[in-house]
Amino acid sequence: MNWKVPLTDVTLGEEEALAAAEVVRSGWLSQGERVAAFEAAFAAMVGVPHAVAVNNCTVGLEVAYAAVGVVPGDEVVMPALTFVATANAARRLGATVVFADITSDDDLCVDPEDVLARVTPKTRAVVLVHYAGFAADVAAVRAGLAAMGRADVAVVEDCAHSPAAGSRDGSARCGALGDVAAFSFFSNKNMTTGEGGMLTTRRADLDQALRLLRAHGMTTTTWDRHRGHAFTYDVVRVATNARMDEIRAAIGRIQLGRLAEANRRRAEVRGWYLDAIAERSGRLSGLHVPFVGETYGESAQHLFVVLLPRGVERSAVMAAMRAAGVQTSVHYPPTHRFSAYQDVPAKLPRTDAVAPRLLTLPLGPAMTREQVALVVDALADALGG
């Protein structure tokens, strides 16, 4: 469909095309020096010593969970309000997923108190999703685990929405707050390589484990042997192939250079939305915008999510906005409601309360103020305002 306002936009240009072509002309396509350079640049942006590129965030999460010691029978606590990959990656390792509730209508990130309340002797990791680009309260979870004497529980950040976002207290960037973090470079993310992801950590031991687990558990790589730095290898862990290739890494370095300005523009667009909604408040009675205020830190502004008035039929709103040429979405159907997760007990009253009200409006760095006005007017019309 030819949308007047698509859900998002991706900025790709001649620089990315030239970078990809240069890789092709080099004759070396699989993981090599460009992947290493991308890792170094990304680690510097996050503010950690280690970054490990992977072929997508889903596999990256699985690698991260394995690196922190998740094995069959362990429990992994996480929100249900996230993309299903957060849970799938844990279940593929044989772990038991334990869902925790969101904090409130204002704060759609997972509730630290509920996370801590669900920790048991079987818990190996907790996963904190920086939903929509806003940092979860990692510090509260870490402090709670410390008070419980549970240094054995790893804190994993799902940073799929939050490249270059900051913590709530402004002390560090997302990806530097837990034991290990996973980023996504899927095509609709703030920076993209089409498919791809990055794992970050402050810990040298986890860096070593991540590198083994993304490359068959091999002690040397094909690139090492190509350069004559090694002649053979050992396999010290049973692992998969999660490596990123050189073409994606080359594109990723260009995209990383665009990230700060893209995030700034996204923040500007969010400001236009808040202004437009305030100006039309009489036509938008009952609409609620989460994450308003200064308590959430610097956001990556990945999504602009609103809560529809209670009792409104969301599908009818989405259909009306589609007719007006505005693309919308839902982030996300909570994982505990999927057929594949009906065997997982979940009492999540706050998540269940917001789930039918969630609506994602278009947000991208190329949006104009006029497009924002069109979206908000279409929403008001759809709500009968």
Side-chain angles (χ1 to χ4, degrees):
M1 181 167 175
N2 187 22
W3 299 102
K4 292 180 181 177
V5 190
L7 190 65
T8 190
D9 56 76
V10 178
T11 301
L12 292 166
E14 189 63 19
E15 288 181 86
E16 286 86 353
L18 290 173
E22 184 178 302
V23 174
V24 173
R25 286 192 291 267
S26 77
W28 188 268
L29 303 184
S30 56
Q31 180 184 303
E33 61 186 4
R34 290 172 179 82
V35 170
F38 183 30
E39 290 172 339
F42 199 87
M45 182 276 290
V46 173
V48 294
H50 310 291
V52 179
V54 290
N55 51 20
N56 63 68
C57 186
T58 303
V59 175
L61 282 166
E62 190 172 330
V63 167
Y65 296 159
V68 299
V70 173
V71 297
D74 286 343
E75 292 179 354
V76 181
V77 183
M78 64 183 66
L81 189 60
T82 179
F83 185 55
V84 69
T86 313
N88 279 352
R91 292 196 99 178
R92 280 176 49 82
L93 293 173
T96 298
V97 170
V98 178
F99 291 120
D101 213 348
I102 61 168
T103 303
S104 68
D105 287 8
D106 293 312
D107 184 354
L108 301 181
C109 291
V110 71
D111 179 5
E113 291 186 6
D114 199 43
V115 169
L116 295 168
R118 295 174 192 264
V119 171
T120 75
K122 293 183 178 181
T123 305
R124 176 61 59 190
V126 298
V127 188
L128 306 180
V129 178
H130 303 309
Y131 178 87
F134 293 86
D137 196 347
V138 181
V141 173
R142 297 199 70 142
L145 290 172
M148 296 165 66
R150 293 303 305 272
D152 60 311
V153 176
V155 176
V156 179
E157 297 175 75
D158 185 332
C159 294
H161 292 181
S162 58
S167 63
R168 295 195 172 196
D169 64 4
S171 63
R173 280 187 163 161
C174 294
L177 308 176
D179 292 289
V180 63
F183 292 81
S184 174
F185 305 138
F186 183 62
S187 61
N188 62 4
K189 295 300 191 288
N190 291 37
M191 58 174 287
T192 183
T193 60
E195 294 281 359
M198 190 74 74
L199 304 173
T200 59
T201 182
R202 294 182 180 275
R203 293 171 46 182
D205 62 325
L206 285 182
D207 177 61
Q208 182 180 27
L210 294 169
R211 293 182 186 280
L212 287 171
L213 288 164
R214 72 143 175 211
H216 305 288
M218 295 164 58
T219 54
T220 66
T221 67
T222 305
W223 179 243
D224 293 329
R225 296 189 294 280
H226 175 74
R227 292 182 297 165
H229 292 181
F231 298 103
T232 187
Y233 58 87
D234 190 13
V235 174
V236 297
R237 296 191 66 163
V238 176
T240 189
N241 176 9
R243 295 175 300 217
M244 177 179 280
D245 62 76
E246 292 283 273
I247 293 175
R248 286 176 174 82
I251 293 172
R253 288 196 71 190
I254 304 300
Q255 285 281 292
L256 182 59
R258 299 186 190 275
L259 181 63
E261 175 60 16
N263 282 3
R264 187 197 67 77
R265 287 280 296 117
R266 286 173 174 271
E268 185 175 32
V269 174
R270 177 180 170 84
W272 294 340
Y273 265 120
L274 296 178
D275 290 345
I277 289 170
E279 291 165 2
R280 296 160 178 80
S281 58
R283 301 174 60 202
L284 296 167
S285 178
L287 187 78
H288 183 71
V289 182
F291 299 113
V292 174
E294 302 296 324
T295 61
Y296 303 103
E298 181 182 358
S299 173
Q301 307 292 352
H302 177 57
L303 301 174
F304 188 79
V305 175
V306 298
L307 300 183
L308 294 173
R310 289 177 176 82
V312 167
E313 179 57 48
R314 181 173 58 200
S315 61
V317 172
M318 296 178 76
M321 295 188 73
R322 182 182 186 275
V326 176
Q327 186 181 12
T328 60
S329 188
V330 177
H331 292 85
Y332 292 96
T335 306
H336 71 296
R337 294 301 185 188
F338 290 131
S339 299
Y341 284 85
Q342 290 309 290
D343 60 329
V344 179
K347 187 176 181 181
L348 307 170
R350 294 187 292 273
T351 300
D352 288 336
V354 303
R357 300 174 61 200
L358 292 165
L359 183 68
T360 304
L361 302 181
L363 176 61
M367 279 187 73
T368 65
R369 189 186 290 269
E370 290 72 25
Q371 285 180 309
V372 169
L374 189 158
V375 171
V376 178
D377 282 334
L379 177 58
D381 291 342
L383 292 172

